[in-house]
Amino acid sequence: PDDLKTQAERQGFKLIGGKVPTTQVFVAYYCCHQKDVKDPSAGWAVPNPKLGDVRVRRALSKGINRDELNKTFFRGKGVPTYLTSFDPTRYGWNSEWERRFAVDYGYDPEGAKRLLAEAGYGPSNPLEQNIVLIELAQFPGTMDVQEAVANYWRNVGIKVNLVNMDNAQRTASTRGLRFENHWTIDGTSSDVHIYLQTRWGPSFSAGGSVGHGGRDAEVTRQFLALRSELDEKKQEAAY
């Protein structure tokens, strides 16, 4: 915990940053599930989900002040994550993601409001989202970070519900594809295959557990083909 790190520093100890990317912390969505990822014709479990609109996802991202969260809850030692579960040290990284991040997804409350308005949301018709509260073992302050995110979103006009449920309820809802417009907090390491298989991400992903993140049949098809490629140079070119 950060309070014990502060105490250790007062006693003469020094903190040394690791050279290998480890745990990333991010908010993650439950939404946009195909009934059968192997059969696109089966359609979506929930038609026309709000999070299926890229303007909504961008607005939600632009509503969060990551720098303030870093300084408040992580003592400023965190580094920005430009692509969930991925890192510039991993092969296949595209520097364009970092260059474009501030404009496309960086903190901009007024920009978030404009995007919500373009998507049809406003004071008389607020976007409603749900944060499923959980605690992570990876770092302290999980609940505080989730509530902070909720307040950031409220500040741009989003109606946020904080939802409490136990692990069994959450698992059943996830596997049953009953979540829509729901979020939670999570953390994982960084690797290109974790990114592609992850349940989360700013766009649709492949693989992962049923009911998490966005699932797209075409992305999944390409991923399964790529996963069988053992030549790293060919892998990087494909990424």
Side-chain angles (χ1 to χ4, degrees), residues 8-53:
E9 288 177 312
R10 290 173 180 166
Q11 295 176 356
F13 290 92
K14 293 182 179 180
L15 294 179
I16 300 175
K19 295 184 178 180
V20 178
T22 54
T23 301
Q24 295 183 353
V25 178
F26 47 90
V27 290
Y29 63 81
Y30 296 80
C31 172
C32 315
H33 320 299
Q34 290 184 312
K35 293 179 181 178
D36 183 352
V37 74
K38 296 180 181 179
D39 179 15
S41 65
W44 299 92
V46 178
N48 303 314
K50 296 174 183 176
L51 289 173
D53 190 329

Side-chain angles (χ1 to χ4, degrees), residues 14-114:
K14 293 182 179 180
L15 294 179
I16 300 175
K19 295 184 178 180
V20 178
T22 54
T23 301
Q24 295 183 353
V25 178
F26 47 90
V27 290
Y29 63 81
Y30 296 80
C31 172
C32 315
H33 320 299
Q34 290 184 312
K35 293 179 181 178
D36 183 352
V37 74
K38 296 180 181 179
D39 179 15
S41 65
W44 299 92
V46 178
N48 303 314
K50 296 174 183 176
L51 289 173
D53 190 329
V54 67
R55 295 170 297 184
V56 169
R57 299 198 302 275
R58 287 183 62 201
L60 288 161
S61 180
K62 284 179 169 292
I64 300 174
N65 189 335
R66 295 167 176 79
D67 185 58
E68 190 170 67
L69 287 176
N70 185 24
K71 292 175 181 176
T72 303
F73 298 109
F74 301 95
R75 300 179 66 206
K77 64 181 181 294
V79 296
T81 296
Y82 299 107
L83 197 60
T84 305
S85 305
F86 211 7
D87 186 84
T89 61
R90 308 303 189 185
Y91 63 84
W93 180 260
N94 185 344
S95 60
E96 279 291 298
W97 297 329
E98 182 175 349
R99 186 186 67 79
R100 293 168 43 197
F101 187 86
V103 173
D104 290 345
Y105 297 101
Y107 183 54
D108 179 5
E110 294 306 313
K113 293 176 183 178
R114 286 194 296 271

Side-chain angles (χ1 to χ4, degrees), residues 12 17 42 62 96 102 131 160 176-177 190 204 206 221 237:
K62 284 179 169 292
E96 279 291 298
I131 295 180
V160 183
L177 304 182
S190 60
F204 294 101
R221 184 192 66 76

Side-chain angles (χ1 to χ4, degrees), residues 149-221:
V149 169
N151 286 329
Y152 284 135
W153 285 347
R154 290 178 181 128
N155 288 339
V156 296
I158 297 169
K159 180 181 178 181
V160 183
N161 304 309
L162 299 180
V163 181
N164 285 289
M165 61 175 60
D166 59 33
N167 288 337
Q169 291 175 308
R170 190 168 69 250
T171 298
S173 295
T174 300
R175 291 178 177 174
L177 304 182
R178 292 192 291 271
F179 278 132
E180 177 191 5
N181 304 311
H182 286 70
W183 295 78
T184 188
I185 192 169
D186 202 7
T188 185
S189 56
S190 60
D191 181 81
V192 65
H193 279 95
I194 293 176
Y195 158 65
L196 284 168
Q197 295 189 82
T198 188
R199 301 168 299 211
W200 328 114
S203 59
F204 294 101
S205 58
S209 303
V210 174
H212 295 270
R215 301 288 296 277
D216 181 83
E218 178 60 20
V219 175
T220 297
R221 184 192 66 76

